[in-house]
Amino acid sequence: RQMCIRDSINAEYGEAIVAMGCGASTDPAASPPAKKKSEANTSAQQNPPAPAPAPKPAAKPAEAAAPAPAPKPAPAPAPAVPNDENQAFAADLAKIAAVKESNPDNLACKHFDLDYFNSLDDAMKTRMIECARSGFENADSGVGAYAMQPDDYAALPKFMDPLIREYHKASPDAVHVNDWTVSGTFNLTELGLPDLSMRVRVGRNLKSFPLPGAMTQEQRCEMENVMVKAFEKLIEMEEYGGKYNSITPDHPNFVDEAGYQKLVDDHIMFKDMSKDPYLMSAGIGKDWPHGRGCYVSEDQQFIIWVGEEDHLRIMCMKKGSVLNEVFDRLEKALGVVSGIEGIEFASSDSYGMVTSCPTNLGTGMRASVHVPLPNLTSDGTDVKAKAIAKPLGLSVRGVGGEHTPIGADGTVDISPSSRLFIKEGEIIEALYKGLQALMAEESA
């Protein structure tokens, strides 16, 4: 897992769900060099006097000369941490410096500016360190940064902003705008495609809680209980119904280990996050399984994960041909959930919807379809499909998620790559147009 984002996918129609999508050696301070020995230099020891003539009494031996002063020891080398006030952060800063050298593509360490860090008070220094921790504890991270508080993106602009804009390839003045307006109806049958497995998901976080990386066990359970009230509203509505399943011990909606495993096997629930080293370093996987669960609608086509990488992962899925159907249902469901008293989603004036991982900022959306490409995958790999899809702004994955194999019939998962500085409606349009171009290559 190279990115901090763990992009969980395909919770439907027999497709595998994987949990959602980022150490280096410490540089010890050098020891001061050993002091040189004093050089006692006496005339008696080095040049003993000649003996006196026999008839005369023996001369009194010359007294030893006073020892020469010992040279001053060389000063100890400067500490690895440039600022004496940073001693509490010395070990972490040394790791960051080492990863910056060994893994220059690790964005969290690359954009960790020491001058900016030194300008912060201790509380903000701690926040900046925690945001970068997954990156410097997992040197092979691609991004490596996770926000800990909903306002971290605004509170740490000189760390977060350049990282965000490099990853998303955005101009310095780009500002995100959320807009679900769709320009038309996107029917896959017009591309010569059969009914396909379609899915749209978004990440959302509640403004009133820390983000998952900084939550205590008590806060995780409290957030879950806030959402249970929202789910009660959904369950009362005919178009949703369903139930909530909690894996928090002693929760009223608790499902035991066997029940949880069945939800995982049925591709409904996410897997044990405490086994992911990236999420554990970020604090997101801690306190498992407290505060975790999932709401499932009666038709099992609308699911909300609670307590994963974001407070909520909200998804609609369906096997069909009109992309608008899953898109519209998700927009409507979001309106229902956000309209419930006590629920307000965290957002940013610059980056749209706030997510734990900077890669998901903006829309927090991933829209995808499973499409068979037997010709483009005739060699048994998705290499050719990826080469064609990338210039189209599309990502290609296996049917079980990133780093999983393609389907036996050449089926792959296709989705637009962009999340930030693009409107929600534009993502669905990009998916359709990308599929149109991809199918032209498939048929060529």
Side-chain angles (χ1 to χ4, degrees), residues 20-76:
M20 298 283 193
C22 299
S25 60
T26 302
D27 182 15
S31 300
K35 296 180 181 179
K36 294 181 180 179
K37 293 182 179 179
S38 299
E39 298 177 358
N41 188 12
T42 67
S43 57
Q45 293 169 323
Q46 296 183 9
N47 297 300
K56 295 182 180 181
K60 184 178 180 181
E63 294 187 7
K72 294 181 179 180

Side-chain angles (χ1 to χ4, degrees), residues 6 8 18-20 212-213 220 247 260 269-281 283-293 305-311:
R6 296 172 46 261
S8 304
V18 293
M20 298 283 193
R220 296 184 199 280
I247 56 174
Y260 164 68
M269 184 64 171
F270 52 95
K271 295 181 180 179
D272 185 346
M273 300 162 63
S274 67
K275 299 184 184 303
D276 187 310
Y278 300 86
L279 294 185
M280 286 302 293
S281 289
I284 292 171
K286 292 181 178 178
D287 305 316
W288 181 269
H290 294 83
R292 273 79 173 199
W305 290 354
V306 176
E308 211 248 9
E309 185 176 293
D310 292 305
H311 292 156

Side-chain angles (χ1 to χ4, degrees), residues 248-312:
T248 300
D250 301 321
H251 193 279
N253 301 97
F254 178 72
V255 292
D256 61 16
E257 181 62 28
Y260 164 68
Q261 190 57 50
K262 186 176 188 308
L263 290 170
V264 172
D265 294 343
D266 290 344
H267 321 296
I268 291 173
M269 184 64 171
F270 52 95
K271 295 181 180 179
D272 185 346
M273 300 162 63
S274 67
K275 299 184 184 303
D276 187 310
Y278 300 86
L279 294 185
M280 286 302 293
S281 289
I284 292 171
K286 292 181 178 178
D287 305 316
W288 181 269
H290 294 83
R292 273 79 173 199
C294 68
Y295 161 79
V296 187
S297 67
E298 189 67 31
D299 62 8
Q300 296 196 347
Q301 294 180 4
F302 177 55
I303 296 172
I304 301 178
W305 290 354
V306 176
E308 211 248 9
E309 185 176 293
D310 292 305
H311 292 156
L312 308 174

Side-chain angles (χ1 to χ4, degrees), residues 123-390:
M124 292 306 299
K125 285 178 179 178
T126 298
R127 284 176 69 171
M128 187 169 168
I129 287 283
E130 293 309 311
C131 288
R133 182 170 297 283
S134 187
F136 68 75
E137 290 187 354
N138 300 278
D140 62 344
S141 298
V143 176
Y146 287 92
M148 299 288 123
Q149 301 291 336
D151 68 341
D152 274 346
Y153 296 109
L156 296 166
K158 293 185 180 180
F159 171 53
M160 288 295 199
D161 191 69
L163 181 156
I164 290 166
R165 294 184 188 278
E166 177 173 347
Y167 176 82
H168 291 280
K169 300 178 175 62
S171 64
D173 58 350
V175 175
H176 183 82
V177 176
N178 291 95
D179 185 352
W180 288 68
T181 303
V182 179
S183 60
T185 300
F186 302 112
N187 194 327
L188 299 177
T189 59
E190 295 177 5
L191 304 181
L193 289 167
D195 285 356
L196 299 179
S197 176
M198 310 178 296
R199 178 179 179 273
V200 184
R201 67 87 168 152
V202 293
R204 291 292 186 268
N205 290 283
L206 304 188
K207 184 178 180 180
S208 55
F209 289 93
L211 296 180
M215 295 180 87
T216 63
Q217 179 174 307
E218 182 180 3
Q219 288 170 328
R220 296 184 199 280
C221 295
E222 184 182 350
M223 186 276 293
E224 179 185 31
N225 289 332
V226 168
M227 290 310 305
V228 166
K229 295 179 181 178
F231 299 144
E232 289 173 354
K233 299 287 185 183
L234 291 175
I235 291 167
E236 291 172 359
M237 301 174 69
E238 185 177 352
E239 59 266 47
Y240 298 109
K243 63 178 293 190
Y244 178 65
N245 306 275
S246 174
I247 56 174
T248 300
D250 301 321
H251 193 279
N253 301 97
F254 178 72
V255 292
D256 61 16
E257 181 62 28
Y260 164 68
Q261 190 57 50
K262 186 176 188 308
L263 290 170
V264 172
D265 294 343
D266 290 344
H267 321 296
I268 291 173
M269 184 64 171
F270 52 95
K271 295 181 180 179
D272 185 346
M273 300 162 63
S274 67
K275 299 184 184 303
D276 187 310
Y278 300 86
L279 294 185
M280 286 302 293
S281 289
I284 292 171
K286 292 181 178 178
D287 305 316
W288 181 269
H290 294 83
R292 273 79 173 199
C294 68
Y295 161 79
V296 187
S297 67
E298 189 67 31
D299 62 8
Q300 296 196 347
Q301 294 180 4
F302 177 55
I303 296 172
I304 301 178
W305 290 354
V306 176
E308 211 248 9
E309 185 176 293
D310 292 305
H311 292 156
L312 308 174
R313 285 290 171 94
I314 305 171
M315 58 199 84
C316 286
M317 65 283 299
K318 181 179 181 179
K319 191 166 186 177
S321 60
V322 181
L323 291 174
N324 305 64
E325 292 177 355
V326 287
F327 182 83
D328 292 344
R329 188 181 192 191
L330 179 59
E331 181 187 13
K332 183 179 179 182
L334 277 171
V336 172
V337 174
S338 62
I340 295 172
E341 184 179 356
I343 294 179
E344 182 179 0
F345 295 142
S347 63
S348 160
D349 291 340
S350 298
Y351 310 122
M353 304 311 300
V354 168
T355 53
S356 291
C357 184
T359 63
N360 280 324
L361 283 167
T363 61
M365 176 180 285
R366 185 174 185 274
S368 66
V369 297
H370 285 180
V371 58
L373 300 174
N375 294 329
L376 293 180
T377 60
S378 59
D379 63 351
T381 75
D382 57 10
V383 173
K384 188 174 181 180
K386 284 182 174 179
I388 294 171
K390 187 173 182 180

